[in-house]
Amino acid sequence: MSTLDQIPLTQLKGVGNKLAETLSKLDIYNLQDLLFHLPFRYEDRTKFIPLQHFRAGMHGLFEAEVVSHRVVYGRRRSLEVIVEGGHSRVTLRFYHFSAAQTRLLGTGALIRCYGEARLGKTGLEFYHPEYKVVNPDEPHEIPDRLTPLYPLTEGIQQGRLRTLTQLAVKWLDRSEVPDLLPASVRNEFQLPELKKALHYLHSPPTDADQEALLNGSHPCQQRLILEELLAHHLSLMKLRTSMRSQAALACPLNLASTQAIDQFLGSLPFSLTSAQQRVQQEIQTDLSQPIPMLRLVQGDVGSGKTVLAALCALQASTAGGQVALMAPTEILAEQHAQNFKRWFADTPLRLAWLSGKTKGKKRQQVLASILNGDVDIIIGTHALFQQDVHYHRLALAIIDEQHRFGVHQRLSLKDKGLNAGIVPHQLIMTATPIPRTLAMSAYADLDTSVIDELPPGRQAIETFALSDARREEMVAKVRSVCESGDQAYWVCTLIEESETLQCQAAEDTATWLSESLLGLTVALVHGRMKAQDKSLVMEAFSAGRIDVLVATTVIEVGVDVPDASLIVIENPERLGLAQLHQLRGRVGRGNKKSYCALMYHPPLSENGKERLKVMRESSDGFIIAEKDLELRGPGEVLGTKQTGLIDFKIADLQRDQGWLETVKQIAPLISQPEAIIQRWVGQSQKYAEV
Ligand code: ADP
Ligand code: MG
């Protein structure tokens, strides 16, 4: 007997290639897919509701007789049909209607209707209800189960999809659909068997708990939700296992590396916080193994992630491996390059720089030195992992400030160690804390370390919001801050998603500010500038030779200038919370009292107000990340590119996060992980072959 996932849709009566093609847009390719395409709502069409029982907001089925109908010419033309049932009258209103329809709904016609009652011009009204003119002598033919409503796509209607699904349900009875959840798990959580759950969800009895069905808490749904979350988890674990089954360069803590590390630590003007020490140890242990490290380091803005990067780079290069350190922007990569150059000045380590802007002969030279093993630590942007970059012996890849570094990108790193027959250790350091639910689902294949402590002496950043009508006041504030010896950022954020416009706005602002702030040095940095010009400006700002830096979001992550104590952010209402938190984190990096001005453009939407309020009230990246998730959803927080990871059919991360812990625990009990992955992640499993 073939299993349902082997039976193509065209086996169903009336499904040809064209319809099959339409259904593929819903990711439905076979009978199993059809059965796992679940209703989002149900309607009770099993009994008639007397008209007088309807209240606004109620859905239901009723029978009534047409009393009169007319076309009304208001702001919009509509067909108004007055019907009577029992002793009540209500109005059916149609904004789209045909002459035939008007005729059919003539006085005296008996109609059967399903719709939602609303309060309209004439009292209770039904807008565009589904209806049928019936013959009073014919027997009533009404369903005895709730009617499911499915997500649709263009080219298929509700009724058609419902019929197809019912056909698939019939196949369900005579086929083998293995229940992939162990009975022990089902029993523990009192979840129904798979077949039963599917039956139930496609045609629930009339006494079903509709509220539970609507909010996804019905045991039949929960059973499937658990299975789906499990499927995603298992697919990430599969990825992890396959990665970890390969060899990495073991970088032991021996005399040489310990000495190098101690020397480096001794040269720092501070000692590590205990959180940094703990995370450092976790990384060290990983690195000393001959198995690739897969570690995510989460730490709030300013928690001191860069020194940890340096420490593990030191350990790996002392063991004779190459290290690649990637930052998301050129400015940040450049800053790292400067820091590393200074930190490693007294070591034999050789540093190299590579960005997308490294071109021509210079690029050839750098590529050759990477390939020949003439350099130890290579710092740069995404360019580091492009196809034409071949490493001599890549032992460790550090991805800084990049929580959107998804599965595909992680996978692409695997090949970068090929020359030496190793898979590089991976250290991913997040730009902002990731909400726990996302970390547990989208990054289940990584081990996590958390730096849950800021270096001593940091003061909370005072955050306030003001309308951009008060721009002049801000200028005065900038002046007073700079005259007291501090520095300020003035950030021009997105204008219509266009980088060119953003840069233009920054240029205009810089001109205007330098006129308004005579006596102070105002400079500009944006993405369209030459790399060299950018780094000159950043260096000057860093060295205190510039008072006010007007910038686009190029300074969003990582930039570290401890003397800056004021940041003005324009149009904060357009940015996500995590992004605002990151921008704000450019100040408050030393021991100075710092300020963040959110200069919005009124009027603010409700959501915009809410977001600015969160920023004013919280400085904790973990709380802000949770809020961000709540207000914007996982797709935005994780980046659209990664949504494939969290694109669930039935589960909802926010709603169903309670399962994540269980998922982790029961994953090892699953005897056929591959089957669950195939069932749920199936066609969309773009990262299947590893
Ligand atoms: P982030 O976690 O945002 O990447 P950085 O690594 O840029 O933070 O560190 C922020 C600032 O704090 C830097 O100036 C860094 O030198 C400093 N710093 C890092 N660790 C400590 C520490 N343990 N004590 C004092 N200052 C520290
Ligand atoms: Mg950083």
Side-chain angles (χ1 to χ4, degrees):
M1 191 162 32
S2 48
T3 52
L4 287 179
D5 59 332
Q6 292 163 341
I7 306 177
L9 294 171
T10 42
Q11 285 283 313
L12 294 179
K13 204 172 132 227
V15 183
N17 288 338
K18 181 144 183 290
L19 188 55
E21 167 100 33
T22 303
L23 289 167
S24 74
K25 283 190 270 173
L26 292 167
D27 261 335
I28 300 175
Y29 299 90
N30 54 50
L31 293 200
Q32 175 170 292
D33 294 339
L34 194 54
L35 285 167
F36 282 82
H37 188 70
L38 297 164
F40 62 90
R41 190 157 70 73
Y42 299 90
E43 289 175 351
D44 188 348
R45 302 185 181 190
T46 61
K47 55 180 179 293
F48 293 115
I49 298 180
L51 260 193
Q52 66 269 23
H53 288 181
F54 273 97
R55 299 285 173 271
M58 249 172 89
H59 289 85
L61 183 74
F62 60 92
E63 268 191 350
E65 195 181 311
V66 176
V67 177
S68 67
H69 73 259
R70 62 181 183 137
V71 176
V72 193
Y73 298 86
R75 236 179 324 146
R76 265 178 88 192
R77 201 171 70 111
S78 66
L79 172 65
E80 190 180 275
V81 182
I82 300 192
V83 300
E84 185 178 277
H87 295 290
S88 294
R89 285 185 175 194
V90 297
T91 301
L92 317 184
R93 193 175 297 282
F94 301 89
Y95 288 102
H96 309 281
F97 56 94
S98 62
Q101 209 173 357
T102 317
R103 265 196 309 281
L104 215 57
L105 290 168
T107 308
L110 182 64
I111 55 161
R112 188 175 299 160
C113 233
Y114 185 92
E116 181 190 0
R118 295 203 228 162
L119 227 38
K121 273 194 280 231
T122 62
L124 274 195
E125 299 194 350
F126 290 80
Y127 295 87
H128 282 278
E130 275 183 49
Y131 71 94
K132 196 156 83 182
V133 177
V134 290
N135 181 343
D137 304 329
E138 269 175 27
H140 289 171
E141 218 186 84
I142 59 172
D144 58 353
R145 317 281 289 183
L146 296 181
T147 304
L149 276 95
Y150 296 94
L152 298 175
T153 187
E154 208 180 310
I156 180 134
Q157 273 149 7
Q158 205 53 256
R160 188 91 176 89
L161 189 53
R162 199 177 292 141
T163 312
L164 292 179
T165 309
Q166 291 309 327
L167 288 175
V169 170
K170 293 219 175 75
W171 278 80
L172 182 62
D173 295 329
R174 34 188 166 95
S175 330
E176 196 65 46
V177 184
D179 194 324
L180 303 169
L181 280 187
S184 61
V185 171
R186 275 203 325 264
N187 291 340
E188 183 180 345
F189 297 99
Q190 302 193 349
L191 299 171
E193 281 171 34
L194 179 64
K195 268 195 188 183
K196 195 170 153 236
L198 288 173
H199 256 294
Y200 193 96
L201 293 175
H202 287 296
S203 62
T206 48
D207 62 353
D209 182 345
Q210 283 216 54
E211 201 178 307
L213 285 172
L214 206 57
N215 63 32
S217 63
H218 194 282
C220 288
Q221 291 165 312
Q222 288 290 307
R223 189 234 123 87
L224 294 172
I225 287 167
L226 173 60
E227 203 178 304
E228 180 168 39
L229 291 171
L230 196 55
H232 279 256
H233 183 84
L234 289 169
S235 72
L236 283 172
M237 290 330 262
K238 176 180 159 195
L239 186 84
R240 177 180 170 86
T241 311
S242 116
M243 279 277 199
R244 305 260 296 173
S245 67
Q246 305 183 53
L249 180 71
C251 312
L253 279 175
N254 50 24
L255 196 60
S257 56
T258 323
Q259 251 175 10
I261 288 168
D262 286 347
Q263 199 171 4
F264 170 72
L265 287 174
S267 73
L268 291 176
F270 50 77
S271 45
L272 297 186
T273 62
S274 55
Q276 282 171 317
Q277 281 172 26
R278 175 171 38 77
V279 175
Q280 187 208 350
Q281 269 165 21
E282 287 165 356
I283 298 173
Q284 280 180 344
T285 311
D286 283 355
L287 280 181
S288 57
Q289 307 296 316
I291 303 166
M293 163 169 78
L294 295 170
R295 188 167 286 279
L296 177 74
V297 172
Q298 298 208 57
D300 210 341
V301 191
S303 59
K305 295 183 285 286
T306 320
V307 278
L308 293 182
L311 280 163
C312 77
L314 208 50
Q315 187 175 342
S317 42
T318 315
Q322 284 177 314
V323 178
L325 167 59
M326 186 196 94
T329 66
E330 247 178 64
I331 288 185
L332 181 54
E334 171 83 17
Q335 180 182 288
H336 285 334
Q338 303 285 350
N339 279 333
F340 276 51
K341 211 157 99 189
R342 190 161 37 87
W343 284 337
F344 296 146
D346 296 332
T347 71
L349 296 176
R350 298 155 300 177
L351 270 50
W353 165 263
L354 184 70
S355 87
K357 296 203 173 135
T358 316
K359 293 260 158 72
K361 206 163 154 219
K362 180 76 200 156
R363 187 179 180 86
Q364 293 316 316
Q365 268 171 12
V366 177
L367 291 182
S369 64
I370 295 174
L371 179 61
N372 298 332
D374 296 337
V375 289
D376 305 298
I377 301 179
I378 304 102
I379 300 174
T381 56
H382 287 92
L384 291 185
F385 302 127
Q386 264 152 21
Q387 275 196 338
D388 63 335
V389 188
H390 302 286
Y391 290 84
H392 176 67
R393 202 179 194 205
L394 184 64
L396 165 67
I398 306 172
I399 319 294
D400 187 29
E401 303 286 13
Q402 185 86 322
H403 72 272
R404 293 179 175 189
F405 201 73
V407 166
H408 308 285
Q409 291 155 305
R410 291 197 309 260
L411 272 177
S412 73
L413 287 182
K414 199 184 65 165
D415 301 333
K416 289 295 176 195
L418 275 186
N419 270 344
I422 48 176
V423 167
H425 295 286
Q426 296 181 27
L427 184 72
I428 295 160
M429 308 204 288
T430 64
T432 6
I434 303 170
R436 207 175 114 75
T437 47
L438 286 189
M440 283 184 74
S441 41
Y443 296 100
D445 58 326
L446 303 177
D447 297 306
T448 308
S449 298
V450 183
I451 314 180
D452 50 6
E453 181 187 0
L454 292 178
R458 297 282 170 80
Q459 298 188 49
I461 303 166
E462 200 171 310
T463 303
F464 51 96
L466 78 170
S467 142
D468 57 10
R470 294 166 61 192
R471 201 171 277 270
E472 298 292 337
E473 278 173 55
M474 257 350 285
V475 178
K477 173 87 180 162
V478 170
R479 176 179 287 283
S480 78
V481 162
C482 295
E483 282 176 352
S484 76
D486 288 1
Q487 294 165 283
Y489 292 97
W490 188 295
V491 188
C492 302
T493 65
L494 281 190
I495 301 174
E496 298 172 19
E497 305 291 313
S498 146
E499 204 202 349
T500 316
L501 283 177
Q502 199 188 164
C503 297
Q504 181 63 49
E507 275 170 20
D508 296 346
T509 306
T511 310
W512 167 75
L513 271 179
S514 46
E515 283 160 9
S516 314
L517 291 168
L518 292 176
L520 294 178
T521 319
V522 178
L524 170 71
V525 63
H526 64 57
R528 290 280 160 109
M529 285 163 57
K530 280 204 195 116
Q532 205 190 353
D533 296 340
K534 266 192 281 191
S535 61
L536 282 177
V537 173
M538 291 312 297
E539 250 169 69
F541 188 61
S542 206
R545 293 194 302 274
I546 290 170
D547 301 301
V548 184
L549 184 64
V550 178
T552 56
T553 43
V554 291
I555 55 121
E556 179 176 329
V557 286
V559 169
D560 184 46
V561 180
D563 276 341
S565 69
L566 168 65
I567 184 163
V568 180
I569 304 173
E570 297 220 43
N571 302 316
E573 70 277 13
R574 301 193 192 199
L575 306 182
L577 288 178
Q579 202 180 359
L580 284 172
H581 181 61
Q582 215 17 259
L583 274 171
R584 176 171 63 182
R586 291 320 103 216
V587 299
R589 298 178 82 81
N591 295 340
K592 295 190 178 190
K593 174 80 190 163
S594 301
Y595 301 87
C596 169
L598 304 170
M599 202 162 68
Y600 62 86
H601 187 69
L604 282 178
S605 67
E606 278 312 310
N607 190 289
K609 273 185 205 156
E610 171 75 18
R611 276 185 286 145
L612 297 193
K613 180 158 169 271
V614 174
M615 289 306 293
R616 279 188 283 118
E617 290 175 354
S618 181
S619 57
D620 181 332
F622 282 89
I623 293 176
I624 289 177
E626 293 289 346
K627 264 295 195 202
D628 210 23
L629 184 61
E630 196 181 305
L631 292 170
R632 291 194 311 158
E636 287 288 321
V637 173
L638 217 51
T640 39
K641 278 197 202 129
Q642 307 312 327
T643 43
L645 292 179
I646 42 165
D647 214 0
F648 298 116
K649 287 196 202 346
I650 167 166
D652 172 322
L653 270 189
Q654 283 293 81
R655 184 189 66 196
D656 304 320
Q657 50 181 291
W659 279 121
L660 293 174
E661 203 51 60
T662 307
V663 162
K664 218 163 94 179
Q665 279 161 16
I666 64 178
L669 307 178
I670 304 300
S671 57
Q672 298 179 61
E674 204 47 52
I676 295 200
I677 295 174
Q678 205 48 45
R679 177 181 288 171
W680 288 96
V681 190
Q683 309 275 356
S684 58
Q685 195 193 12
K686 302 160 202 107
Y687 43 95
E689 325 81 44
V690 285

